[in-house]
Amino acid sequence: MASTLEKFIHSLDPRALPRVLQIQSGIYFQGSIYEMFGNECCLSTGEVIKVIGFKINKLIASICENNEVSRVSAKVELPLNFPGLYKVVADKTPYGSIEEITRKVSIGPTRFGHPCFYSPEDIKLANITIKNGEQITFNSVEEVNGMMAVNCDVVRNNQSHSFTLPLSQEGKFYECEDDQIYTLKEIAEWKIPKCRNRIVKLSNTLHMWDSSNPLPENFDGCLILTPVYEVQAVMQFRKDIVHILSDLDVEVKDITDCYDISSFLQPLSLEDVFDRTSKEFPMVAEIMEGPSGSQKPYNFLYMGKEIVIYKKYQATRILASEIRSDSPKRHFLIPMSYKGKFKRRPREFPTAYDLEIARSEKEQLHVVATKAFDSPHKDLFSVSVGDQFLVQQRQTSEVLYEERKKVIDVFACEQILSDTYKKVLLPMYMEGDFVEVIHDKKQYQLSEICKEFPLPFNVKVSVRDLSVEEDVLAAVPGLQFEEEITDSYLLISSTSSPVESWEIPVYRLNMSVHLVSKEVQMVVPPVTKTTVEEISEEQYYMVRRYENQTLHPPPRPPKKPTTLAPKPVFAVPKQDVSAVLQAPKNFCVDTTKKLCSNQAADVSELQVSCQNDLVHHENKKDMTGRATLVETDVIKGLTNKALGKCEAEEEEEHKYDYVDENIIENLRKVFQDTTVRNKHAPCEGRRDI
């Protein structure tokens, strides 16, 4: 049965690909040249194409005034990078089964890929009963005991409870209201279900309105978003992949079941190549579609180029992220063959529990507090900004809590005073920031760090890798080595000039090839070049999907006794402590200027300053060789006036007209603060927008 291309693509399950379509009718019935992204193709009546993929290219927005969905005043076309932040309106139409949800809704590893639903009826499972109206978060889809299921969780009394729902589970499942805000691109990628439209409300504009804006001035209504897909297809007698928009005015018919699909060239993704047996390597392939953009070192992989694929294998990488207070952070995968050298940088620990995790038998951890903490128990230590400690070990202590004695976990430390040490106990749940003081000035190879220190670990490149033309890590002010991962790679070289071979990642490089019946001239691969790979935030979450789950979260803090009057807490920004340690004897520092300095370099400066101070006080070490107190005499004179002046200067300095990721994240935080009270409330009975 024939249908429009748009209708077919909107209802097509990606898991059913590839599909063979025959052009039935339309404005191209006599044949016409259609050009898209520089690719020309002739779509004539009777033409046969093989659809191998599709993705959202743009959105058609129906403008609804006064939030009345039934009253559409106009339709406009919006690109995915159109500025603005939007709130998703919950879909009132229920899903009939878990299988339907997995088929139509995007579920993935990133923060956007965890949709929430609720059932108007109780769901009784073997180990838990989900109450009606209770918010269920869908985390991932995988095979459990030979059956496909969804990993879910519910939150009760601030505790998360995990369980699985089989795809065969039926019932009515309604979408929960979403308290997040998104860009149009994020909505297109994650929040538009198959075969459904998506209603959104404009939450915040990121630029001033002008006449070129397709939305009405001061628009405060709803938008009904309809996706327009870009279809990737293969045509007979062509060696490239063509791109067609789904709103093209043609009718198509699915003839997959009655057509010899082998008559088309067989595009293979890198995953398809990797799935082949080791005996099939090496092989020669021609690139049908190269990676998007011209990112190094993959800019030599262009359409029509022939390559030799020597082998498939697993390789070790160190996952590292840029150390900075704002977002977005840059993320890297560093090969073990990296030839640069690193110096240590101070780590940050938000709780005493994190100190326990970082504690090592190799060296004693020395930290300085950058946030005050008022202990609710008189037997436990209250921390002030600038206090320094030598970390000892975890133990238990008996405290008086609500007129009863209670045993809690504490952390034993030694406070460093001017000429002595004082044993103190810190509660494990303590909310206070600590920054490490570095005594080690040695330069390390990557392999040495992985062997001698537990991850995460903070460093900075001290000697760049001279074997590469451009070392991207050398310009980064600070790096955190997060974990060691194993990833899949293919080793390739050019057939025309096999001087060197390259490792290409299987799951992060979007490239299609088809195999060529040629003999490999050089069976042994040439010299292999490995490079540092910079990855996107989404790719970062993908490689972290198997992160270590053995570490337990810190214990929840007990409620403070109501009889204890809270002492005023004065917490200063980390950059001020850094500035103090950098110039301990200069009391004429312009604190306003220091407060406005670049936060990204502050933690790095802390290491250098602490080392300088420790050299100055070398003669003050006691007979056991333990570190003495680093001077922190300033942390005074910071006033609200100075803070306000700084914020005003910062605001005047940055005026953005387009979508900026930092603005998006800040607006998200502000928006979420106003809705956090209702985040885990039952979905049933909520008022729809």
Side-chain angles (χ1 to χ4, degrees):
M1 181 179 177
S3 67
T4 64
L5 178 62
E6 183 175 34
K7 184 177 180 181
F8 177 82
I9 295 299
H10 273 248
S11 61
L12 180 59
D13 186 348
R15 293 173 293 185
L17 293 172
R19 308 303 295 177
V20 178
L21 305 181
Q22 186 179 54
I23 307 298
Q24 296 294 299
S25 63
I27 59 173
Y28 296 91
F29 61 94
Q30 290 182 343
S32 177
I33 297 298
Y34 176 73
E35 184 174 353
M36 181 70 179
F37 304 115
N39 295 311
E40 294 180 348
C41 63
C42 180
L43 296 177
S44 58
T45 301
E47 180 73 58
V48 178
I49 63 174
K50 182 172 73 169
V51 176
I52 60 173
F54 57 92
K55 62 181 180 181
I56 295 178
N57 175 267
K58 59 184 178 181
L59 297 166
I60 303 299
S62 301
I63 300 174
C64 305
E65 301 286 354
N66 302 322
N67 294 327
E68 295 184 21
V69 178
S70 58
R71 296 179 59 185
V72 177
S73 61
K75 289 187 178 182
V76 296
E77 183 179 297
L78 299 179
L80 298 186
N81 61 352
F82 185 76
L85 294 173
Y86 303 83
K87 188 175 186 299
V88 171
V89 177
D91 195 342
K92 296 180 182 179
T93 304
Y95 293 84
S97 66
I98 299 298
E99 187 275 334
E100 183 185 3
I101 293 176
T102 60
R103 185 161 36 88
K104 295 182 177 181
V105 178
S106 297
I107 301 173
T110 74
R111 57 182 176 178
F112 306 117
H114 301 312
C116 297
F117 296 87
Y118 72 93
S119 171
E121 299 178 354
D122 290 354
I123 302 175
K124 295 183 179 180
L125 303 173
N127 57 346
I128 191 173
T129 297
I130 310 303
K131 300 175 183 177
N132 67 82
E134 195 166 21
Q135 178 173 299
I136 308 170
T137 302
F138 287 40
N139 296 317
S140 63
V141 181
E142 60 184 54
E143 187 174 328
V144 179
N145 300 325
M147 180 177 62
M148 295 304 295
V150 180
N151 290 319
C152 308
D153 63 57
V154 294
V155 177
R156 296 172 178 172
N157 299 322
N158 294 324
Q159 293 289 326
S160 179
H161 302 271
S162 299
F163 58 95
T164 60
L165 284 175
L167 266 58
S168 58
Q169 181 77 42
E170 295 184 345
K172 289 185 177 180
F173 297 93
Y174 290 87
E175 191 176 47
C176 291
E177 289 186 15
D178 194 340
D179 59 5
Q180 304 288 318
I181 51 178
Y182 305 94
T183 64
L184 272 188
K185 187 174 186 294
E186 291 165 349
I187 291 173
E189 291 177 351
W190 293 100
K191 298 299 177 181
I192 300 183
K194 294 292 294 180
C195 302
R196 299 192 183 198
N197 297 327
R198 171 58 78 192
I199 302 174
V200 299
K201 282 198 67 176
L202 185 62
S203 175
N204 225 304
T205 55
L206 297 183
H207 66 6
M208 297 297 291
W209 186 91
D210 56 42
S211 57
S212 64
N213 193 323
L215 299 180
E217 188 174 5
N218 301 321
F219 176 69
D220 192 32
C222 291
L223 298 175
I224 304 176
L225 302 180
T226 303
V228 176
Y229 291 90
E230 174 196 319
V231 181
Q232 295 97 44
V234 177
M235 305 184 72
Q236 287 181 314
F237 316 116
R238 292 191 60 154
K239 290 186 176 182
D240 58 349
I241 296 174
V242 296
H243 302 261
I244 307 167
L245 289 182
S246 62
D247 60 351
L248 197 64
D249 188 15
V250 294
E251 289 191 347
V252 297
K253 182 180 180 180
D254 189 344
I255 59 172
T256 307
D257 296 335
C258 57
Y259 198 87
D260 182 12
I261 203 168
S262 62
S263 61
F264 291 91
L265 282 177
Q266 179 62 39
L268 298 175
S269 65
L270 296 184
E271 294 96 320
D272 296 329
V273 175
F274 192 83
D275 288 340
R276 301 210 162 210
T277 63
S278 299
K279 294 180 180 179
E280 297 179 67
F281 295 89
M283 60 182 69
V284 180
E286 181 180 338
I287 299 174
M288 296 183 68
E289 188 169 58
S292 58
S294 57
Q295 71 267 36
K296 294 181 180 179
Y298 310 123
N299 49 355
F300 72 97
L301 300 173
Y302 51 83
M303 186 184 70
K305 185 177 182 64
E306 286 190 357
I307 58 174
V308 179
I309 306 176
Y310 290 99
K311 61 179 180 177
K312 64 174 186 176
Y313 56 94
Q314 304 282 321
T316 300
R317 293 289 187 270
I318 299 300
L319 178 62
S321 294
E322 182 182 16
I323 299 175
R324 58 186 298 173
S325 57
D326 56 346
S327 64
K329 297 180 180 179
R330 297 170 70 189
H331 306 286
F332 305 92
L333 288 175
I334 309 174
M336 298 303 294
S337 59
Y338 179 80
K339 295 180 175 59
K341 290 187 177 182
F342 301 93
K343 276 190 175 181
R344 296 176 61 176
R345 283 295 179 264
R347 291 169 286 179
E348 296 182 71
F349 309 102
T351 66
Y353 181 82
D354 296 289
L355 296 177
E356 161 67 12
I357 295 174
R359 189 170 60 89
S360 170
E361 298 296 333
K362 179 179 173 61
E363 62 178 355
Q364 193 167 33
L365 187 60
H366 178 190
V367 297
V368 56
T370 59
K371 181 179 178 182
F373 171 76
D374 183 22
S375 173
H377 310 290
K378 63 180 182 180
D379 297 330
L380 302 182
F381 190 70
S382 292
V383 177
S384 299
V385 174
D387 285 349
Q388 295 181 50
F389 303 94
L390 295 177
V391 173
Q392 301 290 337
Q393 62 186 3
R394 181 177 182 171
Q395 61 187 57
T396 59
S397 178
E398 194 176 72
V399 297
L400 191 64
Y401 175 64
E402 293 183 348
E403 300 181 355
R404 292 183 181 181
K405 289 186 177 181
K406 183 178 179 180
V407 176
I408 65 170
D409 289 330
V410 296
F411 205 69
C413 298
E414 283 187 319
Q415 184 188 12
I416 305 175
L417 302 175
S418 58
D419 55 357
T420 185
Y421 299 87
K422 175 184 176 183
K423 293 185 179 296
V424 297
L425 298 177
L426 305 178
M428 289 294 288
Y429 61 78
M430 169 184 168
E431 295 180 3
D433 288 335
F434 299 93
V435 175
E436 182 181 21
V437 178
I438 301 295
H439 304 267
D440 184 3
K441 298 180 180 180
K442 181 182 174 182
Q443 297 185 108
Y444 291 91
Q445 297 279 0
L446 181 60
S447 58
E448 293 177 314
I449 292 175
C450 296
K451 182 179 179 180
E452 297 182 22
F453 301 101
L455 302 184
F457 196 75
N458 292 2
V459 297
K460 185 186 186 306
V461 174
S462 56
V463 178
R464 76 175 189 88
D465 187 348
L466 299 176
S467 67
V468 295
E469 182 179 343
E470 181 183 0
D471 186 352
V472 294
L473 300 182
V476 180
L479 286 167
Q480 182 177 74
F481 291 167
E482 297 186 10
E483 63 177 321
E484 188 176 306
I485 69 165
T486 302
D487 208 358
S488 302
Y489 289 87
L490 294 172
L491 186 64
I492 70 166
S493 73
S494 171
T495 56
S496 57
S497 55
V499 179
E500 55 189 14
S501 58
W502 296 84
E503 289 181 334
I504 59 173
V506 173
Y507 298 107
R508 290 184 301 280
L509 200 62
N510 187 19
M511 189 172 86
S512 298
V513 302
H514 73 92
L515 300 183
V516 178
S517 299
K518 286 186 179 180
E519 289 188 8
V520 178
Q521 301 296 326
M522 192 174 179
V523 179
V524 179
V527 178
T528 302
K529 290 195 68 174
T530 56
T531 60
V532 174
E533 181 186 356
E534 184 168 355
I535 59 177
S536 66
E537 184 181 13
E538 183 174 352
Q539 291 170 336
Y540 167 78
Y541 284 111
M542 284 293 291
V543 299
R544 292 217 71 187
R545 65 190 182 277
Y546 298 125
E547 66 179 314
N548 190 353
Q549 298 293 328
T550 60
L551 298 178
H552 300 289
R556 292 185 62 212
K559 297 178 181 178
K560 291 186 179 182
T562 55
T563 55
L564 290 177
K567 294 194 292 185
V569 177
F570 178 52
V572 299
K574 298 185 187 75
Q575 57 261 40
D576 299 313
V577 175
S578 175
V580 169
L581 295 176
Q582 188 175 7
K585 295 184 179 181
N586 182 7
F587 298 103
C588 301
V589 176
D590 184 351
T591 55
T592 303
K593 183 176 180 181
K594 290 290 182 184
L595 193 60
C596 294
S597 64
N598 185 0
Q599 296 106 320
D602 293 333
V603 174
S604 300
E605 293 297 332
L606 180 59
Q607 176 202 11
V608 178
S609 58
C610 287
Q611 288 173 350
N612 292 340
D613 289 333
L614 286 170
V615 171
H616 179 72
H617 292 283
E618 190 69 32
N619 296 329
K620 294 185 180 180
K621 289 188 178 181
D622 61 10
M623 297 301 294
T624 62
R626 294 187 294 180
T628 55
L629 180 67
V630 176
E631 291 186 47
T632 57
D633 292 330
V634 284
I635 317 179
K636 296 179 181 179
L638 290 175
T639 64
N640 291 333
K641 182 177 180 181
L643 290 168
K645 181 179 178 182
C646 245
E647 292 170 358
E649 290 176 359
E650 192 74 19
E651 184 176 351
E652 186 176 347
E653 201 170 311
H654 300 288
K655 293 182 180 179
Y656 299 93
D657 293 329
Y658 302 100
V659 177
D660 183 272
E661 292 294 334
N662 297 336
I663 297 178
I664 292 173
E665 291 303 319
N666 291 335
L667 288 171
R668 277 200 178 104
K669 291 174 184 176
V670 174
F671 187 87
Q672 289 165 13
D673 287 342
T674 63
T675 57
V676 70
R677 297 178 183 176
N678 301 321
K679 185 171 184 180
H680 299 303
C683 296
E684 189 176 35
R686 293 184 180 177
R687 183 172 61 88
D688 290 314
I689 295 176

